[in-house]
Coordinates of all heavy atoms in Angstrom, one line a residue:
M1 N 26.7 76.5 52.0 CA 25.6 77.5 52.0 C 24.9 77.5 50.7 O 25.5 77.4 49.7 CB 26.2 78.8 52.2 CG 25.2 80.0 52.2 SD 25.9 81.7 52.1 CE 26.2 82.0 53.8
N2 N 23.6 77.4 50.7 CA 22.9 77.3 49.4 C 22.6 78.8 48.8 O 22.8 79.8 49.5 CB 21.6 76.6 49.6 CG 20.6 77.3 50.5 OD1 20.5 78.5 50.5 ND2 19.8 76.6 51.3
S3 N 22.2 78.8 47.5 CA 22.0 80.0 46.9 C 20.9 80.9 47.5 O 21.0 82.1 47.5 CB 21.8 79.8 45.4 OG 20.6 79.1 45.3
K4 N 19.9 80.3 48.0 CA 18.8 81.1 48.7 C 19.5 81.8 49.9 O 19.1 83.0 50.2 CB 17.7 80.2 49.2 CG 17.0 79.6 47.9 CD 15.7 78.8 48.4 CE 15.1 78.2 47.3 NZ 14.0 77.3 47.6
A5 N 20.3 81.1 50.7 CA 20.9 81.8 51.9 C 21.7 82.9 51.4 O 21.8 84.0 52.0 CB 21.6 80.8 52.7
L6 N 22.5 82.7 50.4 CA 23.4 83.7 49.9 C 22.6 84.9 49.4 O 23.0 86.0 49.7 CB 24.3 83.1 48.7 CG 25.3 84.2 48.1 CD1 26.2 84.7 49.0 CD2 25.9 83.5 46.9
Q7 N 21.5 84.7 48.7 CA 20.7 85.7 48.2 C 20.1 86.6 49.4 O 20.2 87.8 49.3 CB 19.6 85.2 47.3 CG 18.7 86.3 46.6 CD 19.6 87.1 45.7 OE1 20.4 86.7 45.0 NE2 19.2 88.5 45.7
R8 N 19.7 86.0 50.4 CA 19.2 86.7 51.6 C 20.3 87.5 52.2 O 20.0 88.7 52.5 CB 18.7 85.7 52.7 CG 17.3 85.2 52.4 CD 16.7 84.5 53.5 NE 17.5 83.5 54.0 CZ 17.4 82.1 53.7 NH1 16.4 81.8 52.8 NH2 18.2 81.2 54.1
Q9 N 21.5 87.0 52.3 CA 22.6 87.8 52.8 C 23.1 88.9 51.9 O 23.4 90.1 52.4 CB 23.8 86.9 53.1 CG 23.6 86.0 54.3 CD 24.8 85.0 54.5 OE1 25.7 84.9 53.6 NE2 24.9 84.4 55.7
V10 N 23.0 88.8 50.6 CA 23.3 89.8 49.7 C 22.4 90.9 49.8 O 22.7 92.0 49.7 CB 23.5 89.3 48.3 CG1 23.6 90.4 47.3 CG2 24.7 88.4 48.2
N11 N 21.1 90.6 49.9 CA 20.1 91.7 50.1 C 20.2 92.4 51.4 O 19.7 93.6 51.5 CB 18.7 91.1 50.0 CG 18.4 90.6 48.6 OD1 19.0 91.1 47.6 ND2 17.5 89.7 48.5
N12 N 20.8 91.9 52.4 CA 21.0 92.5 53.7 C 22.4 92.7 53.9 O 23.1 91.7 54.4 CB 20.3 91.7 54.8 CG 20.4 92.3 56.2 OD1 21.0 93.4 56.3 ND2 19.9 91.7 57.1
P13 N 23.1 93.8 53.8 CA 24.5 93.9 53.9 C 25.0 93.8 55.4 O 26.2 93.7 55.6 CB 24.8 95.3 53.4 CG 23.5 96.1 53.5 CD 22.4 95.0 53.4
E14 N 24.0 93.7 56.3 CA 24.5 93.5 57.7 C 24.6 92.1 58.1 O 23.7 91.5 58.7 CB 23.6 94.2 58.6 CG 23.7 95.8 58.5 CD 23.0 96.5 59.6 OE1 23.0 96.0 60.8 OE2 22.5 97.6 59.3
V15 N 25.6 91.3 57.6 CA 25.8 90.0 57.9 C 26.7 89.8 59.0 O 27.5 90.7 59.3 CB 26.3 89.2 56.6 CG1 25.2 89.1 55.5 CG2 27.6 89.7 56.1
G16 N 26.6 88.7 59.7 CA 27.5 88.4 60.8 C 27.8 87.0 60.9 O 27.3 86.2 60.1
V17 N 28.6 86.6 61.8 CA 29.0 85.2 62.1 C 28.2 84.7 63.3 O 28.3 85.5 64.3 CB 30.5 85.1 62.3 CG1 30.9 83.6 62.6 CG2 31.3 85.6 61.1
Y18 N 27.6 83.6 63.2 CA 26.8 83.1 64.3 C 27.2 81.6 64.6 O 27.7 80.8 63.8 CB 25.3 83.0 63.8 CG 24.7 84.4 63.5 CD1 24.8 84.9 62.4 CD2 24.1 85.0 64.6 CE1 24.4 86.3 62.2 CE2 23.5 86.2 64.4 CZ 23.7 86.9 63.2 OH 23.2 88.2 63.0
E19 N 27.2 81.4 65.9 CA 27.4 80.0 66.4 C 26.1 79.4 66.7 O 25.3 80.1 67.4 CB 28.3 80.1 67.7 CG 28.8 78.8 68.0 CD 30.0 79.0 69.1 OE1 31.1 79.2 68.7 OE2 29.6 79.0 70.3
C20 N 25.8 78.4 66.1 CA 24.5 77.7 66.3 C 24.6 76.4 66.9 O 25.5 75.6 66.5 CB 23.8 77.6 64.9 SG 23.8 79.2 64.0
E21 N 23.6 76.0 67.7 CA 23.5 74.7 68.2 C 22.1 74.1 67.9 O 21.1 74.9 68.1 CB 23.7 74.8 69.8 CG 25.0 74.4 70.3 CD 25.0 74.4 71.8 OE1 24.3 73.6 72.4 OE2 25.6 75.3 72.4
L22 N 22.1 72.9 67.5 CA 20.8 72.3 67.2 C 20.8 70.9 67.8 O 21.8 70.1 67.6 CB 20.7 72.1 65.7 CG 19.5 71.4 65.1 CD1 18.2 72.0 65.5 CD2 19.6 71.2 63.6
H23 N 19.9 70.7 68.7 CA 19.8 69.4 69.4 C 18.4 68.8 68.9 O 17.3 69.4 69.2 CB 19.8 69.6 70.9 CG 21.1 70.0 71.4 ND1 22.1 69.2 71.8 CD2 21.6 71.2 71.6 CE1 23.2 69.9 72.1 NE2 22.9 71.1 72.1
L24 N 18.5 67.6 68.4 CA 17.3 66.9 67.9 C 17.3 65.5 68.4 O 18.3 64.9 68.6 CB 17.3 66.8 66.4 CG 17.2 68.2 65.7 CD1 17.6 67.9 64.2 CD2 16.0 68.8 65.9
K25 N 16.0 65.1 68.7 CA 15.9 63.7 69.1 C 14.5 63.3 68.3 O 13.5 63.9 68.5 CB 15.6 63.5 70.6 CG 15.5 62.1 71.0 CD 15.5 62.0 72.5 CE 15.5 60.5 72.9 NZ 15.6 60.4 74.4
F26 N 14.7 62.3 67.6 CA 13.5 61.8 66.7 C 13.7 60.3 66.4 O 14.7 59.7 66.6 CB 13.4 62.6 65.5 CG 14.5 62.7 64.7 CD1 14.9 61.9 63.7 CD2 15.5 63.8 64.9 CE1 16.0 61.9 62.9 CE2 16.7 63.8 64.2 CZ 16.9 62.8 63.1
R27 N 12.6 59.8 65.9 CA 12.6 58.5 65.4 C 12.4 58.6 63.8 O 11.6 59.4 63.5 CB 11.4 57.7 66.0 CG 11.6 57.4 67.6 CD 10.6 56.5 68.1 NE 10.9 56.3 69.5 CZ 10.2 56.9 70.5 NH1 9.0 57.5 70.2 NH2 10.4 56.7 71.7
L28 N 13.2 57.7 63.3 CA 13.1 57.7 61.8 C 13.0 56.2 61.2 O 13.9 55.4 61.7 CB 14.4 58.4 61.3 CG 14.6 58.4 59.8 CD1 13.5 59.4 59.0 CD2 16.0 58.9 59.4
I29 N 12.2 56.0 60.3 CA 12.2 54.8 59.6 C 13.1 54.9 58.4 O 12.8 55.8 57.5 CB 10.8 54.2 59.2 CG1 10.0 54.0 60.4 CG2 10.9 52.9 58.3 CD1 8.5 53.7 60.1
E30 N 14.1 54.2 58.3 CA 15.1 54.4 57.1 C 15.8 53.2 56.8 O 15.9 52.2 57.7 CB 16.1 55.5 57.4 CG 16.9 56.0 56.3 CD 16.2 56.4 55.0 OE1 15.4 57.4 55.1 OE2 16.3 55.7 54.0
D31 N 16.5 53.0 55.6 CA 17.2 51.9 55.2 C 18.5 51.7 56.1 O 19.2 52.7 56.4 CB 17.7 52.1 53.8 CG 18.5 50.9 53.2 OD1 18.8 49.9 53.9 OD2 18.7 50.9 52.0
K32 N 18.8 50.6 56.6 CA 20.0 50.4 57.6 C 21.3 50.7 57.0 O 22.2 51.2 57.6 CB 20.0 49.0 58.1 CG 18.8 48.6 59.1 CD 19.0 47.2 59.6 CE 17.8 46.9 60.6 NZ 18.0 45.5 61.1
S33 N 21.4 50.4 55.6 CA 22.7 50.7 55.0 C 23.1 52.3 55.1 O 24.2 52.6 54.9 CB 22.7 50.3 53.6 OG 21.7 51.0 52.8
L34 N 22.1 53.1 55.3 CA 22.3 54.5 55.2 C 23.2 54.9 56.4 O 23.8 55.9 56.4 CB 21.0 55.3 55.2 CG 21.1 56.8 55.2 CD1 21.6 57.3 53.9 CD2 19.7 57.4 55.5
L35 N 23.1 54.2 57.5 CA 23.8 54.5 58.7 C 25.3 54.5 58.7 O 26.0 55.1 59.5 CB 23.3 53.7 60.0 CG 21.8 53.8 60.2 CD1 21.4 52.7 61.3 CD2 21.5 55.1 60.6
G36 N 25.8 53.8 57.6 CA 27.2 53.7 57.4 C 27.9 55.0 56.9 O 29.1 55.2 57.0
D37 N 27.1 55.8 56.2 CA 27.6 57.0 55.5 C 27.1 58.3 56.2 O 25.9 58.6 56.0 CB 27.2 57.0 54.1 CG 27.8 58.2 53.3 OD1 28.3 59.1 53.9 OD2 27.6 58.2 52.0
R38 N 28.0 58.9 57.0 CA 27.4 60.0 57.9 C 27.0 61.2 57.1 O 26.1 61.8 57.5 CB 28.6 60.5 58.8 CG 28.9 59.5 60.0 CD 30.1 60.0 60.8 NE 29.9 61.3 61.3 CZ 29.7 61.7 62.6 NH1 29.6 60.7 63.5 NH2 29.4 62.9 63.0
E39 N 27.8 61.6 56.0 CA 27.3 62.7 55.2 C 25.9 62.5 54.5 O 25.1 63.3 54.5 CB 28.3 62.9 54.1 CG 29.7 63.4 54.6 CD 29.5 64.8 55.2 OE1 28.7 65.7 54.8 OE2 30.1 65.1 56.3
Q40 N 25.7 61.3 54.0 CA 24.5 60.9 53.4 C 23.4 60.9 54.5 O 22.2 61.4 54.2 CB 24.5 59.6 52.7 CG 23.3 59.2 51.8 CD 23.4 57.9 51.1 OE1 24.4 57.3 51.2 NE2 22.3 57.7 50.3
L41 N 23.7 60.3 55.5 CA 22.7 60.2 56.6 C 22.3 61.7 57.1 O 21.1 61.9 57.3 CB 23.3 59.5 57.8 CG 22.4 59.4 59.1 CD1 21.1 58.8 58.9 CD2 23.2 58.7 60.3
L42 N 23.2 62.5 57.2 CA 22.9 63.9 57.7 C 22.0 64.6 56.6 O 21.1 65.3 57.0 CB 24.2 64.7 57.8 CG 24.1 66.2 58.2 CD1 23.3 66.3 59.5 CD2 25.4 66.9 58.3
Q43 N 22.4 64.4 55.3 CA 21.5 64.9 54.3 C 20.1 64.5 54.3 O 19.2 65.1 54.3 CB 22.2 64.6 52.9 CG 21.5 65.4 51.8 CD 21.4 67.0 52.0 OE1 22.5 67.6 52.3 NE2 20.3 67.5 51.9
V44 N 20.0 63.2 54.5 CA 18.6 62.5 54.7 C 17.9 63.1 55.8 O 16.7 63.4 55.8 CB 18.7 61.0 54.6 CG1 17.4 60.3 55.0 CG2 19.2 60.5 53.3
L45 N 18.5 63.2 56.9 CA 17.9 63.7 58.1 C 17.4 65.2 58.0 O 16.4 65.5 58.4 CB 18.8 63.6 59.3 CG 19.2 62.2 59.8 CD1 20.3 62.2 60.9 CD2 18.0 61.4 60.2
L46 N 18.3 66.0 57.4 CA 17.9 67.3 57.2 C 16.8 67.5 56.2 O 15.8 68.2 56.5 CB 19.1 68.2 56.6 CG 20.2 68.4 57.6 CD1 21.4 69.0 56.9 CD2 19.8 69.2 58.8
D47 N 16.7 66.7 55.2 CA 15.6 66.7 54.2 C 14.3 66.2 54.9 O 13.3 66.8 54.7 CB 15.9 65.7 53.1 CG 17.0 66.2 52.1 OD1 17.3 67.5 52.2 OD2 17.5 65.5 51.3
A48 N 14.4 65.2 55.7 CA 13.3 64.7 56.4 C 12.7 65.7 57.4 O 11.6 65.9 57.5 CB 13.6 63.4 57.2
L49 N 13.6 66.4 58.1 CA 13.2 67.4 59.1 C 12.6 68.6 58.4 O 11.6 69.2 58.9 CB 14.4 67.9 59.9 CG 14.8 66.8 60.9 CD1 16.2 67.2 61.5 CD2 13.8 66.6 62.0
T50 N 13.0 69.0 57.3 CA 12.4 70.1 56.6 C 11.0 69.7 55.9 O 10.2 70.7 55.9 CB 13.3 70.6 55.4 OG1 13.5 69.6 54.5 CG2 14.6 71.2 55.9
E51 N 10.8 68.5 55.7 CA 9.5 68.1 55.2 C 8.4 68.0 56.4 O 7.3 68.1 56.2 CB 9.6 66.7 54.6 CG 10.5 66.7 53.3 CD 9.8 67.6 52.2 OE1 8.5 67.5 52.1 OE2 10.5 68.3 51.4
G52 N 9.0 67.8 57.6 CA 8.1 67.7 58.8 C 7.8 66.3 59.1 O 8.1 65.3 58.4
N53 N 7.0 66.1 60.2 CA 6.6 64.8 60.7 C 5.6 64.1 59.7 O 4.8 64.8 59.1 CB 5.8 64.9 62.0 CG 6.9 65.2 63.2 OD1 8.0 65.1 63.0 ND2 6.3 65.5 64.3
D54 N 5.9 62.9 59.6 CA 5.0 62.1 58.7 C 5.0 60.7 59.3 O 5.5 60.4 60.4 CB 5.4 62.1 57.2 CG 6.8 61.6 56.9 OD1 7.4 61.0 57.8 OD2 7.4 61.9 55.9
D55 N 4.7 59.6 58.5 CA 4.7 58.3 58.9 C 6.0 57.6 59.1 O 6.2 56.6 59.7 CB 3.9 57.4 57.9 CG 2.4 57.6 57.9 OD1 1.9 58.3 58.9 OD2 1.8 57.3 57.0
F56 N 7.1 58.3 58.6 CA 8.4 57.8 58.7 C 9.4 58.7 59.6 O 10.4 58.3 60.0 CB 9.1 57.9 57.2 CG 8.5 57.0 56.3 CD1 7.4 57.5 55.4 CD2 8.8 55.6 56.2 CE1 6.8 56.7 54.5 CE2 8.1 54.8 55.3 CZ 7.2 55.3 54.5
L57 N 8.9 59.8 60.1 CA 9.6 60.6 61.0 C 8.8 61.2 62.2 O 7.6 61.6 61.9 CB 10.2 61.9 60.3 CG 11.0 62.8 61.1 CD1 12.4 62.2 61.4 CD2 11.1 64.2 60.4
E58 N 9.3 61.0 63.4 CA 8.6 61.5 64.5 C 9.5 62.3 65.4 O 10.5 61.8 65.9 CB 8.1 60.2 65.3 CG 7.3 60.5 66.5 CD 6.9 59.1 67.1 OE1 7.8 58.4 67.6 OE2 5.7 58.9 67.3
T59 N 9.4 63.5 65.5 CA 10.2 64.4 66.4 C 9.8 64.2 67.8 O 8.6 64.3 68.2 CB 10.0 65.8 65.9 OG1 10.3 66.0 64.5 CG2 11.0 66.8 66.7
L60 N 10.8 64.0 68.6 CA 10.6 63.9 70.0 C 11.0 65.1 70.8 O 10.3 65.5 71.7 CB 11.3 62.6 70.5 CG 11.0 61.3 69.9 CD1 12.0 60.2 70.4 CD2 9.6 61.0 70.1
Q61 N 12.1 65.7 70.4 CA 12.7 66.9 71.1 C 13.4 67.8 70.0 O 14.1 67.3 69.1 CB 13.7 66.7 72.2 CG 13.1 66.1 73.5 CD 14.1 65.9 74.4 OE1 15.3 65.5 74.1 NE2 13.9 66.2 75.7
A62 N 13.2 69.1 70.1 CA 14.0 70.0 69.2 C 14.3 71.2 70.0 O 13.5 71.8 70.6 CB 13.2 70.3 68.0
S63 N 15.6 71.6 69.9 CA 16.0 72.9 70.6 C 17.1 73.5 69.7 O 18.0 72.8 69.2 CB 16.5 72.7 72.0 OG 17.8 72.9 72.2
V64 N 17.0 74.8 69.5 CA 17.9 75.6 68.7 C 18.4 76.8 69.4 O 17.6 77.6 70.0 CB 17.2 75.9 67.3 CG1 18.2 76.8 66.5 CG2 16.7 74.8 66.6
K65 N 19.7 77.1 69.4 CA 20.3 78.2 69.9 C 21.2 78.9 68.9 O 22.0 78.2 68.2 CB 21.2 77.9 71.1 CG 20.4 77.7 72.4 CD 21.2 77.7 73.6 CE 21.6 76.2 73.9 NZ 22.5 76.2 75.2
A66 N 21.2 80.2 68.6 CA 22.0 80.9 67.8 C 22.5 82.2 68.4 O 21.6 82.9 69.1 CB 21.4 81.2 66.5
Q67 N 23.8 82.5 68.3 CA 24.3 83.7 69.0 C 25.4 84.3 68.1 O 26.2 83.5 67.5 CB 24.8 83.4 70.3 CG 26.2 83.8 70.8 CD 26.4 83.3 72.1 OE1 25.7 82.6 72.8 NE2 27.6 83.8 72.6
E68 N 25.3 85.6 67.9 CA 26.3 86.2 67.1 C 27.6 86.2 67.8 O 27.8 86.5 69.0 CB 25.9 87.7 66.7 CG 26.9 88.2 65.7 CD 26.3 89.6 65.2 OE1 25.4 90.1 65.7 OE2 26.9 90.1 64.1
I69 N 28.7 85.9 67.1 CA 30.0 85.9 67.7 C 30.9 86.8 66.8 O 30.7 87.3 65.8 CB 30.7 84.4 67.7 CG1 30.9 84.0 66.3 CG2 29.8 83.6 68.5 CD1 31.7 82.6 66.2
S70 N 32.1 87.1 67.4 CA 33.0 88.0 66.7 C 33.6 87.3 65.4 O 33.8 86.1 65.5 CB 34.3 88.3 67.7 OG 35.4 88.8 66.9
E71 N 33.6 88.0 64.4 CA 34.1 87.4 63.2 C 35.5 87.0 63.3 O 35.9 86.1 62.6 CB 34.0 88.5 62.0 CG 34.8 89.7 62.2 CD 34.5 90.7 61.1 OE1 33.3 91.2 61.1 OE2 35.3 91.0 60.2
F72 N 36.2 87.4 64.3 CA 37.6 86.9 64.5 C 37.7 85.6 65.0 O 38.8 84.8 65.0 CB 38.4 88.0 65.4 CG 38.5 89.3 64.7 CD1 37.8 90.3 65.2 CD2 39.3 89.5 63.6 CE1 37.8 91.6 64.7 CE2 39.3 90.7 63.0 CZ 38.6 91.8 63.6
K73 N 36.5 85.0 65.5 CA 36.5 83.6 66.0 C 36.2 82.6 64.8 O 36.3 81.5 65.0 CB 35.5 83.5 67.1 CG 35.8 84.1 68.4 CD 34.8 83.9 69.5 CE 35.2 84.4 70.8 NZ 34.1 84.1 71.8
A74 N 35.8 83.2 63.7 CA 35.6 82.4 62.6 C 36.8 81.9 61.9 O 37.9 82.6 62.1 CB 34.7 83.1 61.6
S75 N 36.7 80.9 61.1 CA 37.9 80.4 60.3 C 38.3 81.5 59.3 O 37.5 82.4 58.9 CB 37.6 79.1 59.6 OG 36.6 79.3 58.6
P76 N 39.5 81.4 58.9 CA 40.0 82.3 57.7 C 39.1 82.3 56.5 O 38.8 83.4 55.9 CB 41.3 81.9 57.4 CG 41.9 81.3 58.7 CD 40.7 80.7 59.2
Q77 N 38.7 81.1 56.1 CA 37.8 80.9 55.1 C 36.5 81.6 55.2 O 35.9 82.3 54.3 CB 37.5 79.5 54.7 CG 38.7 78.7 54.3 CD 39.5 78.0 55.5 OE1 39.3 78.5 56.7 NE2 40.4 77.2 55.2
M78 N 35.9 81.6 56.4 CA 34.6 82.2 56.7 C 34.9 83.7 56.7 O 33.9 84.5 56.2 CB 34.0 81.8 58.0 CG 33.4 80.4 58.0 SD 32.5 80.0 59.5 CE 30.9 80.7 58.9
R79 N 35.9 84.2 57.3 CA 36.1 85.7 57.3 C 36.3 86.2 55.8 O 35.8 87.3 55.5 CB 37.4 86.0 58.1 CG 37.1 85.8 59.6 CD 38.2 86.5 60.4 NE 39.6 86.0 60.1 CZ 40.3 85.0 60.7 NH1 39.6 84.3 61.7 NH2 41.4 84.8 60.4
R80 N 37.0 85.4 55.0 CA 37.1 85.9 53.6 C 35.7 85.9 52.9 O 35.4 86.9 52.2 CB 38.0 84.9 52.8 CG 39.6 85.2 53.0 CD 40.3 84.4 52.0 NE 40.3 83.0 52.1 CZ 41.0 82.3 53.0 NH1 41.9 82.9 53.7 NH2 40.9 80.9 53.0
Q81 N 34.9 85.0 53.2 CA 33.5 84.9 52.6 C 32.8 86.1 53.1 O 32.0 86.8 52.3 CB 32.9 83.6 52.9 CG 31.4 83.5 52.3 CD 31.5 83.4 50.8 OE1 32.6 83.2 50.1 NE2 30.4 83.8 50.2
L82 N 32.9 86.4 54.4 CA 32.2 87.6 55.0 C 32.6 88.9 54.3 O 31.8 89.7 53.9 CB 32.5 87.6 56.5 CG 31.7 88.6 57.3 CD1 30.2 88.3 57.2 CD2 32.2 88.5 58.7
M83 N 34.0 89.0 54.0 CA 34.4 90.2 53.4 C 33.8 90.3 52.0 O 33.5 91.4 51.5 CB 36.0 90.2 53.3 CG 36.5 90.6 54.7 SD 38.3 90.7 54.7 CE 38.9 89.1 54.5
R84 N 33.8 89.1 51.3 CA 33.3 89.1 49.9 C 31.8 89.5 49.9 O 31.4 90.3 49.0 CB 33.4 87.7 49.3 CG 34.7 87.3 48.8 CD 34.7 85.9 48.2 NE 36.0 85.4 48.1 CZ 36.5 84.3 48.8 NH1 35.6 83.7 49.6 NH2 37.7 84.0 48.7
L85 N 31.0 89.0 50.8 CA 29.7 89.5 50.9 C 29.5 90.9 51.2 O 28.6 91.6 50.6 CB 28.9 88.7 52.0 CG 28.7 87.3 51.7 CD1 28.1 86.5 53.0 CD2 27.7 87.0 50.6
R86 N 30.3 91.4 52.0 CA 30.2 92.9 52.4 C 30.6 93.7 51.2 O 30.0 94.7 50.9 CB 31.0 93.2 53.6 CG 30.4 92.7 54.9 CD 31.3 93.0 56.1 NE 30.6 92.5 57.3 CZ 31.3 92.2 58.3 NH1 32.6 92.3 58.4 NH2 30.6 91.9 59.5
N87 N 31.7 93.3 50.5 CA 32.2 94.1 49.3 C 31.2 93.9 48.2 O 30.9 94.9 47.5 CB 33.6 93.5 49.0 CG 34.7 93.8 49.8 OD1 34.6 94.8 50.6 ND2 35.7 93.2 49.8
F88 N 30.6 92.8 48.0 CA 29.6 92.6 46.9 C 28.4 93.5 47.2 O 27.9 94.2 46.3 CB 29.2 91.3 46.8 CG 28.2 91.0 45.7 CD1 28.6 91.0 44.4 CD2 26.9 90.7 46.0 CE1 27.7 90.7 43.3 CE2 26.0 90.5 45.0 CZ 26.4 90.5 43.6
S89 N 27.9 93.6 48.5 CA 26.7 94.4 48.7 C 27.1 95.8 48.6 O 26.3 96.7 48.2 CB 26.2 94.1 50.2 OG 27.2 94.4 51.2
D90 N 28.3 96.3 48.8 CA 28.7 97.7 48.6 C 28.7 98.1 47.2 O 28.3 99.1 46.8 CB 30.2 98.0 49.2 CG 30.2 98.0 50.7 OD1 29.1 98.0 51.3 OD2 31.3 97.8 51.3
T91 N 29.0 97.1 46.3 CA 29.0 97.4 44.8 C 27.6 97.5 44.2 O 27.5 98.2 43.2 CB 29.9 96.4 44.1 OG1 29.3 95.1 44.3 CG2 31.3 96.4 44.5
I92 N 26.6 96.8 44.8 CA 25.3 96.8 44.3 C 24.4 97.9 44.8 O 23.3 98.1 44.4 CB 24.6 95.5 44.4 CG1 24.5 95.0 45.8 CG2 25.3 94.4 43.6 CD1 23.6 93.9 46.1
Q93 N 24.9 98.7 45.7 CA 24.1 99.8 46.4 C 24.3 101.0 45.7 O 25.1 101.3 45.0 CB 24.4 99.9 47.8 CG 23.9 98.7 48.6 CD 24.3 98.9 50.1 OE1 25.0 99.9 50.5 NE2 23.8 98.0 50.9

């Protein structure tokens, strides 16, 4: 989670756990060596998508679904983070 997302959550004490699905289909011009490192590839793809279509990226399909789920379905680490956010927002009010 980046600091901007954390700041938005801290400003809004009503945080929850969401299950999100993202389906993308696009064409991308990129260095072939990048395909071997999944983490780096994912980062490059996310960066390219946030910049939008250009001469190197062509979006063919995009669909996003997000739904709030019970916090008990989240991992213990996520539940601890959720409690920290709620406790932190209680102390600044």
Side-chain angles (χ1 to χ4, degrees):
M1 179 191 278
N2 65 36
S3 62
K4 289 180 184 176
L6 178 60
Q7 185 62 37
R8 281 193 299 268
Q9 288 181 344
V10 169
N11 289 339
N12 182 0
E14 292 192 32
V15 295
V17 178
Y18 295 85
E19 194 167 273
C20 305
E21 260 184 66
L22 175 65
H23 294 272
L24 298 170
K25 185 174 183 177
F26 53 89
R27 293 189 180 107
L28 175 70
I29 297 173
E30 189 55 66
D31 184 352
K32 288 182 183 181
S33 65
L34 182 68
L35 298 176
D37 183 349
R38 288 178 54 109
E39 290 297 318
Q40 185 179 5
L41 176 60
L42 180 59
Q43 187 59 50
V44 167
L45 294 176
L46 291 172
D47 290 345
L49 288 167
T50 57
E51 294 295 320
N53 287 348
D54 60 18
D55 292 340
F56 297 94
L57 177 76
E58 179 179 65
T59 303
L60 303 174
Q61 286 180 323
S63 114
V64 178
K65 286 193 260 182
Q67 128 181 7
E68 188 169 12
I69 62 169
S70 166
E71 61 190 68
F72 298 109
K73 289 185 177 182
S75 69
Q77 295 88 351
M78 286 191 85
R79 289 195 304 268
R80 280 194 293 275
Q81 184 64 20
L82 188 59
M83 285 187 286
R84 284 186 197 110
L85 288 170
R86 287 176 178 158
N87 289 338
F88 183 74
S89 66
D90 287 344
T91 61
I92 60 173
Q93 291 179 352

